[in-house]
Amino acid sequence: MNHEEHVVIERFERGWLVFGIGMIVVFVVLIAYTMANFGGSIPVGTQRIDPTKVRSEGEFANPRIEQIGNEYVAYVQAFAFGYLPAEMRVKKDRKVTFYVTSPDVQHGFMIERTNINVQVIPGEVARVSHTFRKAGEYQIICNEYCGLGHANMISKIVVEE
Ligand code: CUA
């Protein structure tokens, strides 16, 4: 091997070395980002859950809305095709926090005449809050296509004076 060939090969190797180190840096940054966002700390709005246990274990096995002090907390199952609880009742001007998850496929949780419109992804718990200022009935609808019963996937929340 003459000197020039040697230099070319070294440059080639250095190129791959730089590429390799670059990829390691990229991976470390990605892993750090993932851990910061999805690891030990739970990001605001979502947390992880085992979708196969939604119906049998934990808060969602007992779908309900309950009053805690001046507020409400609701644990809602969005499933093919409906919601549990099928109907909720609250008093107006009280904050309502909804935790919503799915035991099967992706659904939506949209409450008409509010800004609540979230994707419900199996394996994740969506959290949204709303204070209803006007009494009345609000339909809850699924806006993610989820199968043949999608159009019938509705429930409601009744807001009382
Ligand atoms: Cu559930 Cu569409």
Side-chain angles (χ1 to χ4, degrees), residues 79-83 105-108 142-147 149-151 153:
F79 63 95
F81 299 99
Y83 296 92
V105 297
Q106 186 169 328
H107 297 284
C142 177
N143 58 9
E144 294 284 331
Y145 182 75
C146 53
H150 164 72
M153 187 169 165

Side-chain angles (χ1 to χ4, degrees), residues 50-92:
D50 182 347
T52 65
K53 293 181 176 152
V54 163
R55 288 185 162 114
S56 58
E57 285 178 19
E59 301 289 9
F60 294 95
N62 175 24
R64 65 196 185 277
I65 185 161
E66 58 186 35
Q67 192 168 357
I68 298 173
N70 265 339
E71 300 188 0
Y72 293 91
V73 176
Y75 294 94
V76 179
Q77 269 188 38
F79 63 95
F81 299 99
Y83 296 92
L84 287 173
E87 184 183 319
M88 293 181 274
R89 280 176 183 272
V90 297
K91 292 251 189 291
K92 73 171 193 176

Side-chain angles (χ1 to χ4, degrees), residues 44-45 71-74 94-100 109 111 114-118 126-132:
V44 175
E71 300 188 0
Y72 293 91
V73 176
R94 309 259 173 105
K95 185 181 174 192
V96 188
T97 301
F98 301 92
Y99 294 91
V100 192
F109 183 80
I111 305 180
T114 72
N115 58 3
I116 291 184
N117 182 11
V118 291
R127 187 185 77 188
V128 277
S129 295
H130 189 71
T131 303
F132 295 88

